[in-house]
Amino acid sequence: GVGDSVKSMINDLSTDNLIAIAEFLPKTSRVLLAVAMTAPSSAWRGRQDQPISKASKAIISSAKPVDRPVPGPSLIEGLCAENEESNNQAKLKHGMILGDELKLQIGEYYAAKNWGILDFVDVEKSLASRLNDSDLFAILACIDAKKNLKRLSLTHCFNIVGHGLEPLRGSVILKQLDLSLVRQCEDPRSLKNDAGLISQEEVVPILDDILSAGGNAFRRMKFPW
């Protein structure tokens, strides 16, 4: 089909060309593309040892620390515009301005080395809210989260139940897990219709495995309730 032809063409691109293309994408969108270039999210489920394609490896490796959000001001403006159009956004904490706070949160995310931080704050709420546990599992497996990820924030991932966190079992480097589902400048208590699907029954056993690992670095947890 057409989709397979396009995927084949992209896989045939040189590593340099793939990196050049990925540099135009927000950081989280890069890993979503990397997942898709190996297999559909559903095919990753339960396979942390999923063989990763050459194209996916090139895309993942292109995530280098930067001192400003990419693709720049247009990213912040787009996220702010989406916020204004929504009738169900969490309220900002007192005295905070969304654009300024987004610059800080995304800036910190993009300044992190490789995949030390994964934060869905840089993708539209309309996309983040549709991601499911299969998508999350595939993303974490693709970046080898157990060995690389120190902080995870599921900003606006209202459709996540929790079993997608499986690749983090036994991690000794994860420090922070933010399941509040809102941006750092927002109050999760002000959410009404988007309370999320996060399940304690799914998350707690995975968290217990992390805390039981000898020498674990875990320090902070935020739930949406």
Side-chain angles (χ1 to χ4, degrees):
V2 175
D4 290 335
S5 297
V6 172
K7 180 177 177 180
S8 178
M9 290 173 61
I10 295 177
N11 273 322
D12 289 338
L13 290 174
S14 69
T15 299
D16 288 342
N17 284 335
L18 284 168
I19 291 175
I21 293 170
E23 286 178 349
F24 285 93
L25 298 174
K27 190 172 182 179
T28 305
S29 295
R30 295 186 189 189
V31 71
L32 289 171
L33 175 60
V35 166
M37 291 310 303
T38 286
S41 295
S42 57
W44 291 72
R45 186 73 180 131
R47 294 193 61 188
Q48 296 187 49
D49 59 346
Q50 168 75 46
I52 300 177
S53 71
K54 174 184 175 182
S56 297
K57 289 179 180 178
I59 294 166
I60 291 297
S61 66
S62 72
K64 305 297 182 183
V66 294
D67 58 4
R68 62 182 177 83
V70 178
S74 61
L75 173 62
I76 305 297
E77 292 169 3
L79 294 174
C80 288
E82 183 188 43
N83 190 78
E84 292 175 0
E85 295 170 359
S86 174
N87 294 320
N88 186 43
Q89 289 284 356
K91 294 180 180 179
L92 297 183
K93 295 176 181 177
H94 181 69
M96 292 187 172
I97 300 173
L98 180 59
D100 292 343
E101 297 303 321
L102 282 175
K103 289 178 184 177
L104 292 175
Q105 187 172 348
I106 295 176
E108 184 178 9
Y109 174 27
Y110 283 36
K113 292 183 179 180
N114 302 318
W115 295 99
I117 297 176
L118 176 62
D119 189 342
F120 291 83
V121 67
D122 66 335
V123 295
E124 295 86 351
K125 178 182 177 183
S126 56
L127 170 58
S129 62
R130 295 198 306 271
L131 298 175
N132 58 34
D133 284 86
S134 292
D135 296 318
L136 180 59
F137 185 102
I139 289 168
L140 294 177
C142 192
I143 65 172
D144 199 2
K146 184 176 179 179
K147 295 180 180 178
N148 295 311
L149 192 63
K150 297 180 179 179
R151 189 173 84 200
L152 173 61
S153 296
L154 297 183
T155 306
H156 294 158
C157 293
F158 303 116
N159 201 36
I160 299 297
V161 176
H163 51 266
L165 296 168
E166 283 285 344
L168 291 173
R169 279 190 183 272
S171 170
V172 296
I173 67 168
L174 185 69
K175 294 182 178 180
Q176 297 182 34
L177 181 56
D178 186 349
L179 306 180
S180 66
L181 307 179
V182 296
R183 301 172 177 120
Q184 292 177 6
C185 60
E186 295 173 328
D187 184 352
R189 295 171 298 180
S190 66
L191 281 176
K192 296 180 180 178
N193 299 329
D194 285 332
L197 302 176
I198 293 290
S199 166
Q200 292 187 53
E201 288 74 19
E202 296 286 351
V203 174
V204 170
I206 297 172
L207 181 60
D208 185 57
D209 263 15
I210 293 173
L211 294 175
S212 298
N216 77 83
F218 199 79
R219 296 292 180 271
R220 186 179 183 188
M221 175 82 176
K222 291 179 69 176
F223 273 108
W225 49 76

